Amino acid sequence: MDALALERRLISVLSTLLSFVIFLLQWCHWKRATQSNDHVSPQYSLDDEDVHDDDQPFDLSIYTFDETTGAFPSQPLEKLDGPFDIYEELLDDGLARGLSLGEDMSDEALAQRAVGEEWRAKVRRITNLDFTPLKNNRRRLQRAHHVLAFLVHLYVHSIPIGGPDVVVPKSISRPLVDVSRWLGIAPILTYADTVLWNWRYQSDDLPFSSANMVFPTLFNASTGADRDETEFYRCCAWIENRGFDATKIMAQVVKALNTHNSGESKEGLYKEVSDLCWKLSDVVKDFTQILLSVREGCRPEAFYSSIRPWYRGYDPEDGRRWVYEGVDDLASFPLSGPSAGQTTTLHALDAFLGVEHGDDSRDFMGKMLLYMPREQRRMLQHLGTQARTLRQVVEESPEVRDAYREVMKVMTEFRTEHLKVAVRYVVSPKKNGTLICPFSGMDATSSRQCPAKSRGTGGNELSKLLKASRDATKKSAIWAA
């Protein structure tokens, strides 16, 4: 063999070897980023150690509240990149296609059925990735939960009704369960996904506020209800933003109570706590006006027919079972779907003011904690331990008692107005069925086929739940009379 032939043969062998090495490196990268086919996620738990030290100062920064944005991330969450961008692409594609609801039997929706099945087939075909590389990055986990949860609801609710079970493919069900466990939040679409983790600045030159927010992920991005969905989220964000003012006031009260020297006169303490409670009452008054403003931008009929159905979580009473492929014991999962009851604002006020809910509302309020980010849940626990101290001061000082009564009065008024709005939306019959009030719960589980009972958040009967919360607040106000 001459030298030229030998050189060509050597080049060919080296080229083949190099190609094999490149393939091997790519395979190893893929292997690290994927789960083995026989993986089955263990029984779901929040993996939560909800413990706190009662003697620890009540510092909101400990619970990941930003000094400017409160419960919202300090900056909008960035999209997932690297091997995880396939999920971002799937979500963008699904929203751009304008998938029709499976329960929608209009000619337009029926014409979209093939488009929906084509998209769902893409979801089933993608590689099942391991999200462990994101485990210690809270902001990326929040974005992952947002994307995966929206994918699950798009997938489930675009399937035509009629089948007994809905199988959520392992490509999205497994990572959602894992991400949820690391975050300590339910493996389903939540209030945090739709509001807290779903915003960016409309103008980078303007300060943080609900008026300067754009909500990028909308189920109705390609429909005529996009503005309704946007304004609904904006109203929730507005209450959340104003609610952070209330949370900061409560933190100031706690600090005043905890730092007071027992050897000093309490007159200064009473004055400080009283002034802060009057400020708190002003904030709560604003909640009512913000709540009523939802009627200006979100049409009830649009919410009922085009927005609310996408929020529904798994409800055994619907008779349609959800199956998370490759995940054990789905019955142990909290899967009610998003609800405005999952914001910490009203929970914080109840905990701080010592509102004691009865059986009708206590169970619901407790369940909603599972849909909150872990750190916010811990904040509520810590805040609840301060109620005893506040009540002691209320009992001691007529000045503080008057301010406390005012807070309880406006809280009762807020819940009364909430009930009126809900009754107006739910009880008043409309052409297309009973309308569900947006703030009675995003996950209203009633259907057009079952309008007999006005069901609200988590499947609870709406009017009964709201009355129970209002009455519990009124009872606490009477205690201070």
Side-chain angles (χ1 to χ4, degrees):
M1 182 180 296
D2 59 26
L4 182 59
L6 182 62
E7 183 179 355
R8 289 175 177 172
R9 182 68 179 272
L10 183 60
I11 291 173
S12 176
V13 171
L14 290 174
S15 177
T16 302
L17 183 60
L18 181 61
S19 297
F20 175 75
V21 171
I22 292 174
F23 166 78
L24 187 61
L25 290 173
Q26 290 176 333
W27 182 87
C28 290
H29 176 76
W30 172 85
K31 191 66 176 177
R32 286 195 301 268
T34 57
Q35 295 179 332
S36 59
N37 290 332
D38 59 352
H39 170 78
V40 177
S41 295
Q43 178 175 340
Y44 182 77
S45 71
L46 287 176
D47 192 23
D48 206 356
E49 295 181 3
D50 283 334
V51 295
H52 56 83
D53 182 358
D54 291 354
D55 296 327
Q56 183 182 29
F58 186 73
D59 184 352
L60 291 176
S61 65
I62 296 174
Y63 304 107
T64 68
F65 282 82
D66 183 81
E67 61 181 10
T68 300
T69 61
F72 292 90
S74 58
Q75 292 294 326
L77 300 176
E78 296 180 359
K79 286 194 170 188
L80 300 175
D81 54 11
F84 307 105
D85 63 0
I86 183 62
Y87 294 94
E88 296 279 3
E89 293 172 4
L90 279 174
L91 180 57
D92 289 343
D93 184 35
L95 297 174
R97 288 172 183 254
L99 303 183
S100 61
L101 286 159
E103 67 182 40
D104 189 346
M105 303 304 292
S106 67
D107 291 340
E108 182 181 358
L110 293 175
Q112 284 285 96
R113 291 288 194 259
V115 175
E117 177 50 35
E118 180 184 0
W119 179 81
R120 291 191 298 276
K122 287 178 64 176
V123 175
R124 293 191 294 269
R125 285 196 301 266
I126 65 172
T127 302
N128 186 33
L129 294 183
D130 177 12
F131 278 65
T132 301
L134 308 186
K135 185 174 182 180
N136 296 319
N137 189 320
R138 180 164 50 87
R139 288 173 61 86
R140 297 195 77 194
L141 284 177
Q142 290 169 345
R143 179 64 189 180
H145 195 281
H146 168 88
V147 171
L148 291 165
F150 265 94
L151 284 172
V152 166
H153 280 246
L154 271 176
Y155 190 96
V156 169
H157 294 302
S158 64
I159 297 175
I161 59 176
D165 292 344
V166 175
V167 179
V168 180
K170 60 186 178 183
S171 58
I172 54 178
S173 62
R174 286 178 179 174
L176 177 58
V177 169
D178 290 336
V179 167
S180 300
R181 185 184 302 109
W182 297 328
L183 282 173
I185 196 171
I188 195 77
L189 193 70
T190 68
Y191 171 86
D193 295 301
T194 55
V195 180
L196 300 182
W197 302 338
N198 183 27
W199 70 279
R200 60 178 174 81
Y201 285 107
Q202 183 171 350
S203 171
D204 293 333
D205 298 328
L206 297 176
F208 175 83
S209 72
S210 58
N212 190 32
M213 283 184 180
V214 173
F215 303 92
T217 308
L218 302 173
F219 287 111
N220 292 275
S222 301
T223 76
D226 56 338
R227 180 177 180 273
D228 300 271
E229 189 173 356
T230 292
E231 293 308 313
F232 174 60
Y233 294 155
R234 190 183 312 283
C235 191
C236 292
W238 190 2
I239 290 180
E240 188 73 40
N241 198 11
R242 190 68 172 121
F244 184 50
D245 293 331
T247 304
K248 288 186 289 187
I249 292 171
M250 288 184 277
Q252 288 179 274
V253 173
V254 170
K255 181 179 180 180
L257 294 172
N258 290 340
T259 58
H260 176 71
N261 190 328
S262 59
E264 297 177 353
S265 169
K266 285 189 174 183
E267 294 306 313
L269 174 66
Y270 296 154
K271 177 68 165 60
E272 182 177 3
V273 172
S274 173
D275 289 346
L276 288 169
C277 284
W278 282 109
K279 288 182 180 180
L280 185 60
S281 69
D282 289 336
V283 174
V284 177
K285 285 178 185 177
D286 288 345
F287 291 168
T288 300
Q289 297 307 312
I290 298 172
L291 170 66
L292 296 177
S293 74
V294 73
R295 297 177 299 185
E296 300 171 8
C298 181
R299 296 166 296 164
E301 63 275 13
F303 185 89
Y304 176 76
S305 61
S306 301
I307 303 173
R308 176 194 62 93
W310 292 108
Y311 294 153
R312 290 197 194 107
Y314 170 52
D315 184 355
E317 295 186 23
D318 285 346
R320 197 182 194 195
R321 195 166 67 102
W322 289 26
V323 177
Y324 276 18
E325 186 180 19
V327 178
D328 293 338
D329 196 15
L330 195 65
S332 68
F333 289 29
L335 295 174
S336 291
S339 164
Q342 293 161 15
T343 173
T344 59
T345 299
L346 293 181
H347 288 262
L349 283 164
D350 283 346
F352 174 73
L353 297 169
V355 175
E356 297 180 359
H357 288 271
D359 293 340
D360 290 335
S361 55
R362 185 189 302 115
D363 289 346
F364 162 70
M365 299 292 279
K367 289 177 181 177
M368 290 299 98
L369 295 175
L370 301 177
Y371 298 83
M372 297 178 186
R374 176 190 289 116
E375 296 81 9
Q376 295 181 23
R377 201 163 50 246
R378 288 174 174 170
M379 182 274 287
L380 293 173
Q381 284 187 308
H382 195 175
L383 188 60
T385 65
Q386 310 300 318
R388 297 188 300 272
T389 308
L390 176 62
R391 284 204 166 197
Q392 179 182 350
V393 176
V394 170
E395 290 174 344
E396 293 172 351
S397 167
E399 182 180 13
V400 176
R401 186 157 54 249
D402 287 344
Y404 178 89
R405 284 176 187 160
E406 182 63 19
V407 179
M408 300 306 297
K409 174 176 170 287
V410 294
M411 274 281 288
T412 303
E413 290 172 353
F414 169 76
R415 282 179 159 149
T416 298
E417 290 303 314
H418 184 185
L419 178 59
K420 289 179 181 179
V421 171
V423 168
R424 174 176 175 267
Y425 273 73
V426 174
V427 177
S428 301
K430 303 293 181 180
K431 268 187 178 182
N432 292 330
T434 302
L435 294 178
I436 302 299
C437 166
F439 285 96
S440 58
M442 298 175 178
D443 67 316
T445 54
S446 60
S447 67
R448 297 179 194 179
Q449 293 76 28
C450 306
K453 284 189 177 181
S454 303
R455 300 177 67 81
T457 315
N460 290 273
E461 194 172 347
L462 175 59
S463 59
K464 181 179 180 181
L465 172 64
L466 295 180
K467 286 179 181 177
S469 296
R470 189 269 317 272
D471 292 346
T473 309
K474 186 183 295 185
K475 184 177 180 181
S476 295
I478 292 174
W479 164 84

